[in-house]
């Protein structure tokens, strides 16, 4: 007899066949993988040996054994409890504030179908009701034909148990089906992949959980900084008010209170 997990995986495979995603047309659905991000990269590297570039391809897994998050963090991916996916695409022509734009596009798309609004912690963690529900990891590398490729990874919790949520200091978008979440997320990534417009940073700023003037604790390149949140600059960097004025940061981590 099939285990509950095997049955759920089979159901999802069926859902993917009946509700074919609008984008991308190339989809790899895995029962278990170390990391969809790693697999996407290996796939691109193999094609590059023949000087080929991949079609936009989605790698999505029921379970990851070594999921990866930003800044070298692990992403815990319990079987069947989330969307664990990587979209392999050509690096978009418009690269300004790319991590921020992907996060914002996902937050907006998921808010449209989620029982609760999805917001963003800078630069692209997804938050619902004051807790993290998802994270985005974007890696770029050289592929065939001299093209730069991007692997856009998403870990999105849909069904963490109460114990897991406490242990991981995280939450889930409860009440959202896997196929709906995957479909909305794919369209969100497509929008950024195909956009040539400069980012609308004011609308992105409105999705952030941070409020101007509030105290932020921030970690970047071995430094710990405390200051006030002063919005985003024109290329999406985080502006932090410190004793000497305002500093802008392109990467780093806002530390939870």
């Amino acid at each position: 007899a099939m285990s509950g997990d095997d049955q759920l995986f089979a159901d999802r495979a069926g859902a993917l066949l009946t509700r074919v995603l609008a984008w991308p047309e190339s989809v790899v659905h895995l029962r278990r993988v170390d990391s969809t991000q790693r697999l996407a990269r290996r796939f691109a590297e193999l094609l590059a040996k023949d000087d080929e570039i991949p079609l936009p391809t989605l790698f999505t897994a029921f379970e990851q054994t070594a999921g990866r998050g930003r800044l070298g963090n692990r992403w815990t991916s319990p079987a069947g409890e989330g969307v664990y996916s990587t979209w392999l695409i050509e690096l978009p022509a418009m690269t300004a504030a790319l991590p921020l734009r992907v996060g914002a596009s996902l937050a907006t798309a998921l808010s449209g179908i989620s029982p609760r609004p999805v917001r963003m912690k800078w630069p692209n963690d997804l938050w619902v009701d004051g807790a993290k529900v998802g994270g985005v990891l974007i890696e770029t590398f050289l592929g065939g034909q001299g093209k730069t490729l991007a692997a856009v990874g998403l870990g999105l919790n849909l069904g963490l148990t109460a114990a897991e949520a406490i242990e991981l200091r995280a939450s889930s978008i409860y009440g959202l089906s896997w196929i709906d979440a995957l479909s909305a997320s794919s369209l969100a990534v497509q929008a950024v992949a195909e956009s040539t417009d400069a980012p609308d940073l004011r609308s992105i700023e409105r999705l952030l959980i941070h409020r101007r003037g509030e105290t932020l604790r921030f970690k970047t390149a071995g430094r710990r900084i405390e200051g006030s949140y002063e919005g985003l600059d024109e290329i999406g960097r985080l502006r932090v008010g410190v004793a000497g004025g305002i500093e802008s940061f392109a990467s780093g981590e806002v530390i939870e209170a």
Side-chain angles (χ1 to χ4, degrees), residues 98-111:
L98 187 63
L100 201 64
R101 283 160 51 223
V102 169
S105 189
L106 285 162
T108 303
L110 291 166
S111 280

Side-chain angles (χ1 to χ4, degrees), residues 21 187 205 222:
L21 298 179
L187 291 174
E205 213 173 293

Side-chain angles (χ1 to χ4, degrees), residues 132-197:
K132 181 172 175 171
V133 297
V136 178
L137 172 65
I138 300 177
E139 296 174 304
T140 58
F141 48 94
L142 204 58
Q145 301 173 20
K147 300 268 191 199
T148 302
L149 303 177
V152 177
L154 170 68
L156 182 69
N157 302 329
L158 298 177
L160 293 184
T161 63
E164 286 165 342
I166 291 165
E167 183 197 340
L168 299 170
R169 307 223 331 267
S171 185
S172 293
I173 305 184
Y174 297 105
L176 186 57
S177 80
W178 176 82
I179 191 71
D180 285 345
L182 185 66
S183 179
S185 299
S186 285
L187 291 174
V189 173
Q190 180 187 20
V192 177
E194 296 178 358
S195 169
T196 53
D197 299 336

Side-chain angles (χ1 to χ4, degrees), residues 8 27 40 44 47 56 61 64 68 72 83 89 101 110 113 130 152 185 192 196 206 212 228 233 238 250 254:
L8 185 56
V27 178
L47 286 182
Q64 291 185 117
R68 293 159 58 213
V83 172
I89 57 174
R101 283 160 51 223
L110 291 166
I113 59 171
V152 177
S185 299
V192 177
T196 53
R206 286 195 287 274
R212 280 184 186 250
S228 59
D233 73 4
L238 184 71
V254 177

